Amino acid sequence: MRKLTFILVALLAFGHLSAQDEKVVKIEFEGLKRTKEAFLKRLIKTKEGAAYDSLLVVKDVERLNRLTGIAKAIATIAEQNGETIVKYTIDENFTIIPGPRISTASDGSFAYQLSLFEFNFLGNGQLLGASFQRNVFNSFSAFWEHPFLFSDKVGFGLNYQNITREEPVFFDDGEKDYRFNSRMIEGKFLFNFDFNNEVELGVVLVDEAYTFEGDDIIPGRPVNLNADKLFYRANYRYVDIDIDYQYFDGFQSEFTGQYIQFQNGNEAGEDFLNDFLSLRNDFIYYKKLGDKGNWANRLRLAAAIGNEDSPFAPFTLDNQLNIRGVGNVVDRGTAAIVLNTEYRHTLYEKGWFVLQSNAFVDLGSWRNPGEDFSQLFDGTSTRLYPGLGIRFIHKKIFNAVFRLDYGIGVGNDTTNGIVFGIGQYF
């Protein structure tokens, strides 16, 4: 699709080879309903009064297609009295999105999450949303983010979460269930340095507690742990992806680094919840195959430094995060390697509706607390889950991909499971 876009723009520019010397006298937007024209003119690099640059227009189209409020953008070039007019035709997304999700909790009970997000609040790309979750216990969260608050390069965001759930914690003598509660508030700055490079820098204040569930208390194992923590978080994204409705083509790399600093807590918390550094990088590659196929891949590398022996490890094995069919929060690790690869094929498409099939393989390994990095490669903690899925896609609603996957565990003592969610898995 990217090649086709370049060819189309080149053909449009072909009749006036001196276009680089011509001025853009007018920029027009057609099809806008909720998105503000002034907001889009602020983002694009083509400017009225500047020299016309066909490659810059191509980049503008790609950038517009990444905005949450836009389903599809195309550019047309016209000449009027020897001057250049650039018109962007916009097909907008519907961006007020409910997000139901169902699953099975760690105790076997029914779990669900309800959320509502507006991804183009006030027509200028703001995110506003909230969620409620029942996973043994009740949890809720609220989010606000304005990526372009201060300029087309600098934004700001806030979010608050109060999460309570039952989680297994893995000690040498077996698995123990704890009630986990985390109350956090985060403030972050967002930087769009150029078309491909984005950075987030944030600080997170966290009040975190673990409470033992059950009567079989074991000496030496904590009954209550609590700690106040300060997270310093940095996120860097390199994005070079061409989007054409349900099809993606290109590469993305996203790095997240966190330094988690212990502030204060009880004595047990000081023993088990230590300062540490968390590092993670996702490498994502998409390839459009033919007219209806899309090959998608994600390689995730993660490691924690400073809490290698803590049973409260930061990386979880979970249906919604890395391995489909394995269950919810079924294991923890202090390092991980995960590879997800899938082939998406459009079975039916008419108007706004797309029915898409999906065949996938999820493969991952974890380093358990107290183990060496070599465990990532010796096969003792490796999980392999191939599976099939289906996607119901609304092309005009942002992220309106209703997915249903069934993962099948390969090996001894594995599980099979259905995973339902909103949005593509990655």
Side-chain angles (χ1 to χ4, degrees), residues 204-206 227-232 258-264 273-277:
V204 188
L205 298 175
V206 182
D228 295 330
K229 290 188 174 184
L230 188 63
F231 288 45
Y232 301 95
Q258 297 183 122
Y259 179 69
I260 295 87
Q261 186 178 48
F262 175 85
Q263 298 294 298
N264 58 71
L273 303 175
N274 303 316
D275 296 359
F276 67 96
L277 181 67

Side-chain angles (χ1 to χ4, degrees), residues 105-107 109-112 132-140 162-167 177-181 211 213:
S106 58
D107 65 352
S109 65
F110 178 71
Y112 64 91
F132 172 82
Q133 178 177 295
R134 176 68 181 180
N135 189 346
V136 183
F137 307 101
N138 295 335
S139 303
F140 60 90
N162 190 329
I163 307 298
T164 304
R165 59 178 178 259
E166 188 175 79
E167 286 196 2
D177 286 331
Y178 278 75
R179 175 175 175 169
F180 169 73
N181 175 256
T211 304
E213 293 287 308

Side-chain angles (χ1 to χ4, degrees), residues 23-293:
K23 299 290 185 181
V24 177
V25 296
K26 191 174 183 181
I27 295 175
E28 299 177 344
F29 287 91
E30 184 179 86
L32 295 182
K33 298 176 182 177
R34 297 186 64 247
T35 305
K36 306 299 184 184
E37 181 175 319
F39 166 62
L40 298 184
K41 283 188 174 182
R42 183 184 180 191
L43 292 186
I44 62 175
K45 299 304 179 183
T46 301
K47 303 295 182 183
E48 292 178 350
Y52 169 72
D53 186 335
S54 60
L55 295 181
L56 203 59
V57 172
V58 171
K59 286 290 187 181
D60 286 339
V61 169
E62 191 172 343
R63 184 172 193 180
L64 292 174
N65 279 324
R66 291 186 199 166
L67 293 177
T68 56
I70 294 178
K72 180 68 175 178
I74 60 174
T76 55
I77 314 300
E79 283 190 5
Q80 188 176 40
N81 300 324
E83 296 176 317
T84 302
I85 298 174
V86 180
K87 181 170 74 173
Y88 299 95
T89 302
I90 306 298
D91 188 7
E92 286 194 341
N93 274 322
F94 182 77
T95 55
I96 302 176
I97 312 299
R101 193 174 78 185
I102 59 174
S103 60
T104 301
S106 58
D107 65 352
S109 65
F110 178 71
Y112 64 91
Q113 177 176 297
L114 301 174
S115 62
L116 184 66
F117 283 83
E118 161 63 290
F119 290 91
N120 192 23
F121 183 58
L122 299 182
N124 59 6
Q126 293 186 61
L127 165 67
L128 184 68
S131 69
F132 172 82
Q133 178 177 295
R134 176 68 181 180
N135 189 346
V136 183
F137 307 101
N138 295 335
S139 303
F140 60 90
S141 58
F143 302 85
W144 172 75
E145 184 177 296
H146 194 334
F148 311 103
L149 177 62
F150 302 108
S151 71
D152 64 332
K153 296 183 181 296
V154 183
F156 187 73
L158 287 170
N159 76 75
Y160 174 79
Q161 298 183 52
N162 190 329
I163 307 298
T164 304
R165 59 178 178 259
E166 188 175 79
E167 286 196 2
V169 177
F170 298 86
F171 296 101
D172 293 337
D173 53 4
E175 172 188 327
K176 306 299 176 186
D177 286 331
Y178 278 75
R179 175 175 175 169
F180 169 73
N181 175 256
S182 175
R183 292 181 297 170
M184 60 160 283
I185 184 168
E186 177 184 21
K188 60 182 178 181
F189 285 94
L190 304 92
F191 303 91
N192 294 273
F193 290 112
D194 55 36
F195 182 72
N196 301 110
N197 297 278
E198 304 170 359
V199 169
E200 295 181 9
L201 298 175
V203 176
V204 188
L205 298 175
V206 182
D207 178 15
E208 193 172 87
Y210 287 86
T211 304
F212 182 75
E213 293 287 308
D215 300 323
D216 54 335
I217 299 174
I218 299 174
R221 295 290 171 256
V223 176
N224 294 287
L225 299 90
N226 59 73
D228 295 330
K229 290 188 174 184
L230 188 63
F231 288 45
Y232 301 95
R233 180 178 295 171
N235 180 274
Y236 166 71
R237 283 186 297 273
Y238 173 82
V239 184
D240 187 14
I241 297 175
D242 184 33
I243 301 173
D244 184 18
Y245 291 112
Q246 73 268 28
Y247 300 111
F248 295 74
D249 193 272
F251 173 76
Q252 175 176 322
S253 175
E254 181 169 356
F255 168 79
T256 301
Q258 297 183 122
Y259 179 69
I260 295 87
Q261 186 178 48
F262 175 85
Q263 298 294 298
N264 58 71
N266 63 6
E267 184 176 349
E270 293 178 1
D271 293 335
F272 282 91
L273 303 175
N274 303 316
D275 296 359
F276 67 96
L277 181 67
S278 171
L279 306 173
R280 189 186 77 192
N281 204 106
D282 288 350
F283 300 95
I284 300 176
Y285 175 72
Y286 302 104
K287 180 65 178 177
K288 176 78 183 297
L289 299 176
D291 294 330
K292 298 183 178 181

